[in-house]
Amino acid sequence: MMLKRSVPWLVLLASAVLEAVWATALGLSDGFTRPLPTLVFIVTAALSMLGLGMAIRSIPLGTAYAIWVGIGAALTVGWAMATGVEPFSVPKVLFIAGIVACAAGLKLLPARKQAPAAEQAPEPAGPARR
Amino acid sequence: MSWLILLLSGALEAVWAAALHRAFQATGRRRIAPSLLFVVSVAASTAGLAIAMQTIPTGTAYAVWVGVGVVLTSAYAIATKVERPTAARLLLLSGIAACVVGLKVVA
């Protein structure tokens, strides 16, 4: 059960990683003039959005989109810092940690389907007392 | 003008996310319209961001674009009852939006 519920989240995380890949490839493609980064961009962008589409079948749309964008941006900047394209800075690391923490928090929130109709349950039917 | 294009591109982010959602929920022929809307809006949104980036600094442009996208996508999800607006969820969503904006502004 636990594993089954985690699959859409794994797909979402993989899509977010692919988002960072295509964002980096887009930067390397020099306006689509270099063939290899352009090809990588097209393939990973398509896969990334396909994965997002699959994830939002079971993860609420607003949450999935925010995590996809957030993890993607965090990895893009993290990768740029790790490879020395962008200088390392403490505020950046803090913001990245903030995104990851918020995404993890959203994962921990109870899913809508886990509380089925409990809140919309009709009032117990009974003979009217008034 | 660049700012207007940028805001519209951000709004298109929410449009494609909603269209993608519809496309994956529908079946058969009902998938065609949302799929087309998705392709058109995702292309227009990316192109608009690229145009806006020619005059607005990259980090600022990206931050505004993503911020508008996250807020409108969540608003759509809540308005259509796809997602329940609990206080914790709203707080975490705005936390992600704030961190992405902060990340791109300091970068």
Side-chain angles (χ1 to χ4, degrees):
Chain A
M1 276 305 282
M2 199 61 201
L3 187 71
K4 208 170 182 184
R5 174 162 139 64
S6 295
V7 167
W9 289 89
L10 291 176
V11 172
L12 183 62
L13 279 183
S15 302
V17 172
L18 286 173
E19 207 220 345
V21 174
W22 72 248
T24 305
L26 182 62
L28 292 174
S29 75
D30 268 341
F32 300 124
T33 51
R34 293 197 203 164
L36 183 63
T38 304
L39 186 69
V40 170
F41 163 77
I42 293 172
V43 171
T44 51
L47 284 177
S48 171
M49 283 164 187
L50 195 68
L52 177 65
M54 285 162 65
I56 57 182
R57 281 172 153 169
S58 44
I59 301 173
L61 174 63
T63 299
Y65 177 79
I67 288 175
W68 183 76
V69 154
I71 300 288
L75 284 176
T76 307
V77 176
W79 177 255
M81 277 195 294
T83 52
V85 175
E86 280 186 31
F88 176 86
S89 88
V90 174
K92 277 186 210 168
V93 173
L94 288 178
F95 282 126
I96 290 175
I99 291 173
V100 174
C102 288
L106 283 171
K107 163 98 171 76
L108 292 175
L109 287 182
R112 195 174 54 124
K113 279 175 188 163
Q114 286 210 322
E119 289 174 13
Q120 290 149 359
E123 297 292 313
R129 289 192 187 161
R130 284 192 241 175
Chain B
M1 189 60 190
S2 306
W3 282 96
L4 188 65
I5 292 174
L6 184 61
L7 289 178
L8 285 175
S9 307
L12 282 173
E13 279 284 291
V15 171
W16 77 244
L20 186 66
H21 185 242
R22 288 279 169 94
F24 271 86
Q25 298 238 311
T27 48
R29 256 189 238 169
R30 309 189 87 197
R31 296 181 97 156
I32 296 174
S35 302
L36 284 178
L37 181 62
F38 164 72
V39 171
V40 170
S41 53
V42 90
S45 173
T46 314
L49 175 66
I51 292 170
M53 275 181 174
Q54 289 176 345
T55 42
I56 301 170
T58 302
T60 313
Y62 184 84
V64 171
W65 184 71
V66 156
V68 171
V70 169
V71 169
L72 286 182
T73 305
S74 301
Y76 167 84
I78 288 167
T80 53
K81 308 269 169 69
V82 170
E83 200 159 2
R84 272 188 306 148
T86 60
R89 172 161 285 149
L90 292 180
L91 198 68
L92 290 168
L93 281 173
S94 43
I96 289 183
C99 286
V100 173
V101 169
L103 192 57
K104 291 294 170 176
V105 169
V106 299

